[in-house]
């Protein structure tokens, strides 16, 4: 899974560019206007350090940076998994094979860096030419030099392993069994959809529960989001969102329970705070109107006002703060990122145009903004020491230094 805080000391990888004038690394052409548009305004904690062009074989797909900041992977459900370094001379390898991303987000991918940056943990699946599954997901480890290691199979009497969402870079995961029968050839009926916490490295199901046994929980088909953290004792906390307006919390060692969170945003993008006590929810605020493909000129979008982002207490659902605004263009919220010290967040912000904002997690104040680049599918993140932040999109990465709040 792409994780906003799975990075360690990016300054090791980017130390040569941590100077006053931002640089374009491994990029050709004139990047002056892009650099200018990415400089956060007004003056504040974040300053642009560098832009780095990445050696991806295909751009436009979500990119995940390794915890030590030295490698990246990119995944597409048809093209497969690519793992490589930040420079074209670094070792890289493509692992072809079809694996569906989550049905609710193409950025929630079934791959994650291990905490030591040595390998990517993920899955493979036998599929037909149309992409339909011929068998369950099978966990694997992958490296940028082409090695792949098959892990023990995860099996359950209620059905095949159908989805997996990694937690914390150790092999721990939230997994589902018997939930995607319509995506198989031949199709099969899912009689007892089951959610579980698993240790994929050893092939062990740690805890499981049939969704029908959770009072008030909608059909599994209504699952629209997931975020997770691992506490200091190594226990997982998983927050899932289900339509309509149902939020389920599962703390490892306890029974899953529905929370009094009231947020009706359809397919909300959200992220748990690092301590797992708060959840940052995006509002998917967008202008409305016709989107024209063949008519010119297209009618001007109708602005819409409302919630851009809000922070809620997980257990009580209490609103801590919210950011309101007006979207004048068509937009969609990207997955937000929270710094490991729980001091800052990076969020996408609609307005006259789309921006990215650096937000205080204390009170929701927008400290700085910069123009969202048109690089393709964006991901946002922070280093584990909270001293740097990054965005990736297409085959480009922007790195920001985070200093004391001014």
């Amino acid at each position: 899974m792409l994780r906003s805080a799975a990075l360690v000391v990016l300054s090791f990888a980017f130390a040569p560019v941590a100077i006053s004038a931002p640089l374009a690394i491994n990029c050709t052409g004139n990047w002056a206007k892009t650099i200018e548009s990415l400089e956060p305004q007004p003056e504040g904690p974040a300053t642009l350090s560098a832009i780095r062009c990445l050696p991806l074989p295909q751009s436009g797909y979500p990119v995940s940076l390794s915890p030590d900041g030295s490698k990246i992977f990119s995944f597409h459900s048809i093209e497969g998994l690519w793992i490589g370094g930040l420079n074209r001379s670094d070792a890289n390898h493509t692992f072809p094979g079809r694996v569906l991303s989550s049905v609710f987000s193409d950025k929630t991918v079934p791959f994650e860096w291990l905490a030591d940056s040595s390998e990517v943990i993920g899955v493979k699946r036998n599929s037909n030419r149309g992409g339909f599954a011929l068998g369950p997901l099978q966990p694997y480890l992958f490296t940028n030099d082409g090695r792949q290691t098959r892990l023990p199979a995860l099996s359950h009497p209620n059905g095949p392993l159908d989805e997996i969402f990694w937690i914390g870079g150790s092999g721990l995961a939230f997994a589902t069994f018997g939930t995607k029968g319509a995506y198989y050839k031949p199709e099969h009926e899912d009689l007892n959809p089951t959610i579980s916490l698993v240790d994929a490295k050893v092939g062990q199901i740690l805890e499981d529960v049939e969704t029908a046994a959770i009072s008030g929980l909608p059909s599994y088909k209504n699952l629209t989001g997931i975020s997770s953290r691992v506490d200091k004792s190594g226990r997982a906390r998983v927050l899932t969102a289900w339509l309509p307006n149902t939020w389920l919390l599962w703390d490892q060692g306890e029974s899953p329970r529905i929370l009094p969170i009231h947020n009706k945003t359809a397919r909300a993008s959200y992220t748990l705070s690092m301590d797992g006590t708060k959840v940052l929810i995006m509002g998917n605020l967008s202008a409305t109107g016709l989107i024209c493909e063949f008519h010119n000129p297209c009618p001007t979008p109708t602005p819409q006002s409302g919630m851009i982002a809000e922070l809620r207490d997980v257990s009580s659902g209490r609103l801590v703060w919210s950011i309101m605004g007006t979207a004048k263009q068509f937009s969609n919220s990207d997955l937000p990122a929270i710094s490991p010290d729980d001091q800052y967040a990076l969020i996408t912000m609609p307005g006259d145009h789309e921006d990215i904002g650096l937000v205080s997690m204390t009170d929701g104040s927008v400290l700085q903004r910069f123009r969202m680049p048109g690089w393709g599918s964006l991901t946002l993140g922070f280093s584990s020491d909270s001293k740097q932040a990054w965005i990736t999109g297409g085959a480009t990465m922007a790195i920001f230094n985070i200093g004391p709040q001014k």
Side-chain angles (χ1 to χ4, degrees):
M1 179 187 305
L2 300 180
R3 299 183 58 80
S4 62
L7 305 177
V8 174
V9 195
L10 285 178
S11 56
F12 288 167
F14 304 128
V17 302
I19 58 178
S20 57
L23 297 181
I25 304 171
N26 297 333
C27 302
T28 59
N30 188 344
W31 288 76
K33 289 185 177 180
T34 301
I35 290 174
E36 181 181 0
S37 70
L38 289 173
E39 189 63 66
Q41 302 294 332
E43 184 179 358
T47 56
L48 180 65
S49 172
I51 291 177
R52 180 183 286 273
C53 294
L54 305 173
L56 297 173
Q58 296 166 336
S59 65
Y61 307 141
V63 176
S64 177
L65 187 63
S66 64
D68 65 3
S70 68
K71 297 189 284 290
I72 52 178
F73 79 71
S74 179
F75 168 75
H76 185 263
S77 58
I78 295 177
E79 303 298 336
L81 173 70
W82 179 89
I83 309 176
L86 299 178
N87 303 301
R88 295 190 181 279
S89 58
D90 296 334
N92 67 84
H93 192 83
T94 297
F95 299 89
R98 290 184 176 230
V99 180
L100 288 177
S101 298
S102 166
V103 294
F104 52 78
S105 172
D106 62 359
K107 295 185 180 181
T108 307
V109 300
F111 297 90
E112 181 182 54
W113 284 104
L114 294 184
D116 65 1
S117 303
S118 61
E119 297 173 292
V120 172
I121 191 166
V123 289
K124 297 176 71 174
R125 167 172 260 162
N126 291 327
S127 303
N128 66 15
R129 292 185 178 181
F132 287 94
L134 301 177
L137 294 174
Q138 170 60 52
Y140 270 83
L141 291 171
F142 306 91
T143 67
N144 64 316
D145 61 6
R147 290 179 291 116
Q148 55 183 338
T149 303
R150 182 185 174 110
L151 295 173
L154 286 165
S155 59
H156 195 282
N158 286 351
L161 176 64
D162 281 337
E163 286 198 287
I164 196 160
F165 305 88
W166 301 105
I167 307 172
S170 65
L172 190 64
F174 174 89
T176 75
F177 295 90
T179 55
K180 309 296 279 295
Y183 291 82
Y184 280 74
K185 288 296 183 185
E187 294 184 22
H188 62 258
E189 186 177 1
D190 297 316
L191 298 178
N192 299 295
T194 299
I195 58 177
S196 63
L197 297 176
V198 304
D199 184 340
K201 275 195 168 182
V202 298
Q204 182 180 1
I205 297 175
L206 305 176
E207 300 174 30
D208 64 328
V209 60
E210 295 178 5
T211 57
I214 303 174
S215 178
L217 191 67
S219 163
Y220 180 81
K221 296 178 181 179
N222 289 32
L223 178 65
T224 63
I226 182 169
S227 182
S228 62
R229 297 292 179 210
V230 177
D231 65 19
K232 293 181 180 179
S233 68
R235 293 196 320 156
R237 163 165 279 201
V238 181
L239 179 64
T240 53
W242 309 64
L243 292 175
N245 191 26
T246 301
W247 298 76
L248 182 75
L249 180 67
W250 194 355
D251 287 322
Q252 188 176 353
E254 302 178 15
S255 298
R257 63 190 187 276
I258 292 178
L259 301 176
I261 294 177
H262 300 293
N263 181 297
K264 297 182 179 180
T265 302
R267 298 186 181 276
S269 296
Y270 62 95
T271 299
L272 284 169
S273 61
M274 291 300 137
D275 63 8
T277 64
K278 308 277 191 312
V279 58
L280 177 57
I281 307 173
M282 301 301 297
N284 278 337
L285 185 63
S286 175
T288 61
L290 296 175
I291 299 177
C292 303
E293 295 185 22
F294 306 107
H295 298 86
N296 193 16
C298 191
T300 302
T302 302
Q304 297 292 313
S305 297
M307 185 268 287
I308 294 175
E310 65 179 25
L311 187 71
R312 289 186 177 270
D313 180 82
V314 170
S315 296
S316 68
R318 177 182 60 88
L319 180 65
V320 179
W321 51 253
S322 63
I323 300 172
M324 310 298 289
T326 300
K328 299 182 179 180
Q329 303 294 330
F330 299 116
S331 59
N332 187 59
S333 300
D334 278 278
L335 189 68
I338 298 175
S339 61
D341 60 7
D342 276 330
Q343 185 173 359
Y344 300 114
L346 280 175
I347 67 171
T348 51
M349 302 190 66
D352 293 328
H353 43 72
E354 288 190 273
D355 287 344
I356 294 175
L358 182 70
V359 173
S360 167
M361 283 289 287
T362 302
D363 58 12
S365 56
V366 181
L367 304 174
Q368 294 173 283
R369 299 172 69 138
F370 57 90
R371 185 68 62 89
M372 183 189 298
W375 292 344
S377 186
L378 293 181
T379 58
L380 314 174
F382 288 89
S383 61
S384 68
D385 60 6
S386 301
K387 292 183 179 180
Q388 289 190 308
W390 54 266
I391 64 171
T392 65
T396 312
M397 174 187 296
I399 306 104
F400 301 83
N401 291 333
I402 307 293
Q405 188 167 333
K406 299 180 180 179

